[in-house]
Amino acid sequence: MALPERFEVQRSERWVFLAAPWLFIALAAFFVAMPFLPGDGKPRNEAFLLGFAVVGCLAFSVCAWYSRQLVRQLVESAVSVDEQGLWPSVKNRHDALVPWNSIVRLREREILQRLDAIDASGKTVARLEYQLKDFDRLRAIVLERANLRGTAPSSDTYKRPRSHHLLAIGGVLGFALLGWYLGPTEPLLGYVAMTFVVGLVAWEYWTTPFRLRITPGALEISLPGRLRRVPREHIRSVEIQDEQVNYTKQPAVMLQLVGGGKPVKLKALGVQTVELHQALQAWHRGNA
């Protein structure tokens, strides 16, 4: 890499963070006004509408507060790296350098949208924001150069909690009942919108692995109603990739297959993405 290398939030994306608090405030105000907006003359469930407005107002108020905190962190989030380590770009390298060998663990903070670098005493010595330009490259550099010690648990099975199944099935049933309830008075919301939501939840559940078992020669991946076996020789590489969801990044381990087949996405299997990545990389190299 070119040394030193600087990672910062690119200017073209900063407007999103600056505008987000105001957008969320406007949405919260809309939910406050919702019960007072004129209807179409049909009977309305006022209690449901009032509860919906309260929940929406609280949710977007929290989003406005949180996005405001992100804006305050923009200036201090830039990070520089070189052969010896990394440091906040706003500080002097000599005083703020964090040597690579002092970073022994990485902790994902997906809700806060950052990756914490931890030293041997358990102290957070660096915060790497997901919003940094080329964050995936920065993370790859850290994974390669840091002195990570046994972050992957000694286990051959990783799985999602039972709540994953309960929430998915409950979501399908709940949104279906909500659509049936709202349909007679609000057909567009009840029948059309809720059918679309039910389909999304059901498809996500059907296509999401909920259990992974590592065997010497293959990975056994459980999905609803079926088991997929992926031999070691069919896997070209094990990578971490980020999905953009509503301007946030959600990391997942991706198994790139020989021959260019559709990658296998593994996420939320009871272990952090960086830890699962380390375990699968060691297995793929034949070290586990």
Side-chain angles (χ1 to χ4, degrees):
M1 61 181 177
L3 302 177
E5 188 169 355
R6 178 186 171 104
F7 298 86
E8 61 183 354
V9 178
Q10 55 187 337
R11 296 180 182 274
S12 61
E13 292 186 357
R14 291 185 183 182
W15 70 268
V16 175
F17 298 97
L18 296 173
W22 300 105
L23 174 61
F24 287 130
I25 289 173
L27 289 171
F30 170 77
F31 274 91
V32 170
M34 183 180 293
F36 306 101
L37 297 177
D40 56 3
K42 296 181 181 180
R44 300 193 304 182
N45 188 324
E46 297 294 341
F48 171 81
L49 189 61
L50 180 60
F52 188 69
V54 170
V55 171
C57 177
L58 290 175
F60 284 112
S61 296
V62 171
C63 290
W65 173 84
Y66 175 63
S67 59
R68 177 58 181 165
Q69 307 309 307
L70 289 180
V71 170
R72 293 178 177 177
Q73 297 173 10
L74 283 179
V75 177
E76 301 179 357
S77 64
V79 173
S80 296
V81 300
D82 64 11
E83 292 285 358
Q84 281 72 47
L86 57 82
W87 68 95
S89 300
V90 296
K91 296 183 179 181
N92 181 274
R93 178 191 182 279
H94 182 267
D95 299 326
L97 178 69
V98 178
W100 292 122
N101 60 9
S102 69
I103 301 175
V104 301
R105 188 163 68 90
L106 298 176
R107 179 175 60 200
E108 290 175 349
R109 306 291 294 274
E110 191 168 326
I111 294 178
L112 297 177
Q113 288 288 279
R114 72 170 186 248
L115 192 65
D116 289 346
I118 313 295
D119 66 9
S121 67
K123 178 183 176 182
T124 299
V125 293
R127 292 184 172 90
L128 312 177
E129 305 291 341
Y130 286 2
Q131 294 84 11
L132 296 175
K133 183 181 179 181
D134 295 329
F135 171 78
D136 54 344
R137 171 168 167 72
L138 172 61
R139 179 176 52 205
I141 292 173
V142 176
L143 286 172
E144 177 185 357
R145 294 175 177 268
N147 183 29
L148 303 180
R149 302 175 185 172
T151 57
S154 56
S155 173
D156 62 354
T157 302
Y158 305 89
K159 58 184 178 181
R160 292 182 175 230
R162 292 182 179 179
S163 58
H164 164 71
H165 306 281
L166 296 177
L167 288 174
I169 297 173
V172 169
L173 296 176
F175 284 115
L177 289 174
L178 182 59
W180 174 78
Y181 176 75
L182 295 176
T185 56
E186 302 285 348
L188 185 61
L189 177 62
Y191 293 138
V192 179
M194 290 303 105
T195 298
F196 179 73
V197 173
V198 167
L200 285 179
V201 174
W203 177 255
E204 180 69 16
Y205 178 62
W206 177 255
T207 58
T208 300
F210 64 85
R211 184 175 181 272
L212 168 69
R213 181 170 177 266
I214 302 176
T215 68
L219 299 178
E220 295 180 353
I221 303 170
S222 299
L223 296 97
R226 60 203 190 277
L227 177 67
R228 180 179 181 182
R229 189 173 186 276
V230 184
R232 188 202 305 261
E233 60 270 18
H234 289 182
I235 300 174
R236 177 168 53 85
S237 63
V238 180
E239 304 173 357
I240 297 181
Q241 292 185 6
D242 299 309
E243 289 184 303
Q244 287 286 148
V245 180
N246 297 327
Y247 297 105
T248 65
K249 290 185 177 182
Q250 298 183 1
V253 173
M254 304 295 289
L255 305 179
Q256 302 293 343
L257 304 180
V258 175
K262 183 179 179 180
V264 180
K265 182 173 72 173
L266 302 172
K267 182 183 177 184
L269 293 171
V271 65
Q272 295 194 39
T273 302
V274 290
E275 297 176 358
L276 181 60
H277 174 259
Q278 283 186 275
L280 291 180
Q281 270 205 330
W283 169 83
H284 190 238
R285 292 193 300 262
N287 297 335

